[in-house]
Amino acid sequence: MKKSFLLLSKLFGLILIICSCNILQGQDKPNFIVIVADDLGYADLGFTGSKEIQTPNIDKLANNGVTFTNGYVTHPYCGPSRAGLITGRYQARFGLEINLTNSHFDAYNGLPVSEKTFASRLKSSGYKTGMIGKWHLGASYPFHPNNRGFDYFYGFLSGGHSYFPKNVSTTFPLFTKEGKPHYSANEGSYWPLMRNNNSAEFTEYLTTALSRDAAKFVKESRDPFCLYLAYNAPHAPLEAPKELIEKYAHIKDKERRIYAAMIDAMDQGIGMVVKSLEASGKLDNTVIFFISDNGGIVDKSRPESEPRRSHHDWGDNTPFRGGKGSMLEGGNHVPFLVHWPKGLKPKQTYKMPVSSLDIAATMVTLANGDTSGEALEGVNLIPFVRGEKKGVPHEALYWRMEDGKNWAVRTPEAKYLLMRGETGGGKMLVDMIKDPYESKNIIEDNPELREKLAKLWNDWNAKNEPSKYLQAGSYQKARLKFYEDMRKQLDEKTKNKQPLIIE
Ligand code: CA
């Protein structure tokens, strides 16, 4: 009896030791928050130079953290950029180079299930994972955030959403008043929000609602957690609270004025999340990343010497050329920061090119997460920032749009790109040391450099898959045609049928 009691107490002691080790391990692992803005202009934050728009909360994160002055995303518009970010792999590796549509019943149209997300890689390492905001990576069951590594989801599955609850309808018409079909690329913009698999409350300005939910998530989650906070702000539709628009009355252009208010609301929302972290004692060991998914909207048909136009020209990507959709710097070169009081000294600037792919790699490394499956293509940025690792994080960064219709490759020293319609009609080679704002095409005088960069891109591209999806608009047209054809077939089938008469 005595012996078995001794054995039991030893066993109990051992369990206690194992448990406390696990708890300690949990405490050591940092929390993560990846904050993504949508279509945000490079120069539309205080820390990247804006004098017009007030973003004190984001600026504070930049000031107390590390600013990456050469931070890039992997695609100059929403869906593919987010696919690269969430997998930590170039999205061309799995053929996702367009904006997916919002198809709730299509088991094909989404981020391939063969790809792991950073959430699934962290979840297996003990993380509680949440996704709040814009998903845009497939809307049917297999692609739902809850099935891609996220324990928790609040937001919308489509590529955009109206900001005011009053605009939401469960009976959004498939046809316009004129009888024409809606081809909105942001199909789903007027649908209710979701929490996990159910419709959810939506009772205030969307950016604030997402921020409030994020503040609650970080407060209530046990450590360690990972939150992907993907705003659709300041993406169209341009909608903001009246009082915030009035705050920017000094901005003459109406669209830019609303856009400024949308950024302000996002900044205030980020302030709410940071405050919640502070109040729950979690700020010190939470790694916060902030980026935009692509550059700001500019009217690319406007000569660069001319002032901003009054429609679809509200972003400011100064000092870069181009904007959303462009292979010029304005398309992919985004505000990029990391804030981690426990692990990184404040007020640092890191100048070598880094990628949104590095966010997944950094988190998975710090968390000792799951690295099985397809290889992560980013690098852990922390040793580079701390100066423990010398050299450059990337020999080169690569871009490919829609099967190579446009493309780019950038080394720390040079960039070679094709952006139809924006580079004088052809390929452009740039010295990124002397000319970081891409003012001069040096292609004629540098055949060897051109050849070197072309080889880098071709080697990278050899491992890519062809783009295999339809753009959201084309998808919706094809789907509508399918149903129209079916309707015709059914009509045909019943056209000459005689009524059944039995005797
Ligand atoms: Ca975007």
Side-chain angles (χ1 to χ4, degrees):
M1 180 73 187
K2 209 174 173 184
K3 207 174 171 186
S4 61
F5 177 75
L6 207 69
L7 204 69
L8 261 177
S9 58
K10 271 187 182 168
L11 195 68
F12 186 62
L14 196 69
I15 290 167
L16 264 183
I17 290 168
I18 291 168
C19 286
S20 55
C21 277
N22 279 343
I23 289 163
L24 281 176
Q25 248 178 14
Q27 280 174 346
D28 283 337
K29 284 179 183 172
N31 301 314
F32 300 111
I33 305 182
V34 181
I35 306 175
V36 180
D38 199 347
D39 295 7
L40 174 68
Y42 184 82
D44 290 328
L45 298 170
F47 90 91
T48 51
S50 184
K51 300 277 181 276
E52 269 183 334
I53 305 172
Q54 292 170 32
T55 56
N57 294 295
I58 300 170
D59 299 345
K60 197 173 167 191
L61 291 177
N63 192 41
N64 292 333
V66 182
T67 301
F68 297 91
T69 54
N70 279 288
Y72 291 89
V73 286
T74 56
H75 202 87
Y77 60 78
C78 312
S81 172
R82 286 161 195 253
L85 168 75
I86 206 166
T87 56
R89 289 166 42 71
Y90 282 109
Q91 62 281 352
R93 303 297 195 215
F94 42 90
L96 207 170
E97 292 184 274
I98 50 85
N99 278 331
L100 295 168
T101 194
N102 187 45
S103 304
H104 286 229
F105 304 104
D106 185 338
Y108 176 73
N109 194 56
L111 179 75
V113 290
S114 52
E115 296 294 322
K116 290 184 176 174
T117 66
F118 60 66
S120 53
R121 292 183 188 275
L122 293 175
K123 201 165 145 56
S124 62
S125 186
Y127 277 72
K128 156 114 178 162
T129 54
M131 193 273 147
I132 293 173
K134 161 170 159 175
W135 178 241
H136 208 189
L137 295 171
S140 68
Y141 181 77
F143 309 117
H144 187 283
N146 286 156
N147 296 323
R148 305 312 302 269
F150 292 98
D151 298 316
Y152 176 77
F153 167 60
Y154 175 65
F156 48 94
L157 301 170
S158 52
H161 205 280
S162 176
Y163 291 83
F164 289 116
K166 68 177 167 59
N167 296 338
V168 166
S169 162
T170 47
T171 54
F172 186 69
L174 289 171
F175 295 90
T176 62
K177 279 179 197 157
E178 294 75 37
K180 291 193 175 150
H182 274 290
Y183 287 139
S184 164
N186 294 323
E187 186 188 29
S189 290
Y190 304 96
W191 294 5
L193 298 186
M194 292 179 83
R195 175 167 285 109
N196 300 321
N197 270 305
N198 302 309
S199 59
E201 84 286 352
F202 179 23
T203 54
E204 59 184 327
Y205 184 61
L206 179 60
T207 304
T208 312
L210 300 177
S211 306
R212 196 179 306 283
D213 208 63
K216 188 164 179 274
F217 178 89
V218 302
K219 184 183 161 202
E220 292 178 358
S221 290
R222 54 138 178 87
D223 294 341
F225 66 79
C226 172
L227 172 65
Y228 173 37
L229 176 54
Y231 287 108
N232 57 320
H235 189 294
L238 294 180
E239 295 170 348
K242 203 166 162 263
E243 64 279 9
L244 263 185
I245 299 172
E246 279 164 8
K247 181 176 168 184
Y248 289 93
H250 58 280
I251 298 178
K252 226 173 108 192
D253 179 78
K254 191 187 167 196
E255 286 189 337
R256 183 156 171 83
R257 188 158 66 239
I258 303 171
Y259 165 82
M262 293 167 82
I263 296 170
D264 192 302
M266 177 178 68
D267 182 76
Q268 290 187 36
I270 291 169
M272 269 165 67
V273 178
V274 172
K275 214 169 162 187
S276 176
L277 286 169
E278 254 171 348
S280 50
K282 296 174 182 174
L283 185 63
D284 195 46
N285 198 22
T286 297
V287 183
I288 303 174
F289 288 97
F290 175 87
I291 59 164
S292 176
D293 68 340
N294 50 256
I297 302 258
V298 293
D299 183 343
K300 293 196 271 287
S301 66
R302 163 171 59 86
E304 286 162 29
S305 52
E306 280 184 15
R308 189 188 312 284
R309 289 182 177 165
S310 59
H311 191 53
H312 279 262
D313 203 7
W314 53 74
D316 184 353
N317 299 312
T318 309
F320 304 121
R321 294 178 63 194
K324 179 178 183 178
S326 177
M327 286 295 170
L328 290 166
E329 291 287 286
N332 292 304
H333 194 145
V334 294
F336 198 135
L337 70 85
V338 63
H339 178 273
W340 183 23
K342 190 175 176 182
L344 294 170
K345 284 188 206 143
K347 300 186 199 309
Q348 294 192 76
T349 302
Y350 188 80
K351 292 181 180 152
M352 284 297 147
V354 301
S355 167
S356 54
L357 300 174
D358 299 332
I359 293 176
T362 301
M363 294 195 294
V364 172
T365 308
L366 290 177
N368 196 20
D370 173 16
T371 52
S372 66
E374 302 290 351
L376 288 163
E377 297 192 274
V379 300
N380 175 13
L381 291 173
I382 304 302
F384 287 99
V385 171
R386 283 182 182 153
E388 294 159 5
K389 219 170 185 174
K390 303 290 174 204
V392 296
H394 301 273
E395 182 191 16
L397 297 175
Y398 306 92
W399 293 267
R400 193 182 84 164
M401 260 176 94
E402 293 155 42
D403 261 339
K405 190 175 87 182
N406 296 308
W407 45 256
V409 46
R410 190 209 156 154
T411 63
E413 298 81 23
K415 183 172 168 187
Y416 184 31
L417 73 143
L418 173 64
M419 185 62 215
R420 289 168 209 273
E422 283 188 66
T423 47
K427 295 166 186 169
M428 189 172 179
L429 188 66
V430 185
D431 180 334
M432 293 301 281
I433 305 289
K434 287 187 198 149
D435 182 23
Y437 311 135
E438 300 169 300
S439 66
K440 197 175 162 205
N441 191 353
I442 59 167
I443 197 163
E444 293 305 325
D445 304 326
N446 295 276
E448 279 172 18
L449 181 60
R450 171 186 179 163
E451 203 177 306
K452 184 189 150 199
L453 291 176
K455 185 180 182 319
L456 282 171
W457 192 89
N458 289 331
D459 289 350
W460 168 78
N461 190 48
K463 295 179 210 116
N464 288 336
E465 277 186 23
S467 174
K468 57 188 172 190
Y469 299 90
L470 284 174
Q471 279 284 9
S474 320
Y475 184 98
Q476 287 159 359
K477 280 181 192 169
R479 184 172 55 188
L480 203 75
K481 187 175 178 312
F482 171 82
Y483 286 114
E484 278 169 355
D485 289 350
M486 188 185 280
R487 179 79 261 163
K488 278 180 204 156
Q489 276 185 44
L490 293 176
D491 287 348
E492 197 61 36
K493 202 176 158 197
T494 55
K495 199 166 68 180
N496 297 317
K497 272 205 175 159
Q498 299 301 316
L500 176 66
I501 298 168
I502 60 163
E503 290 174 357

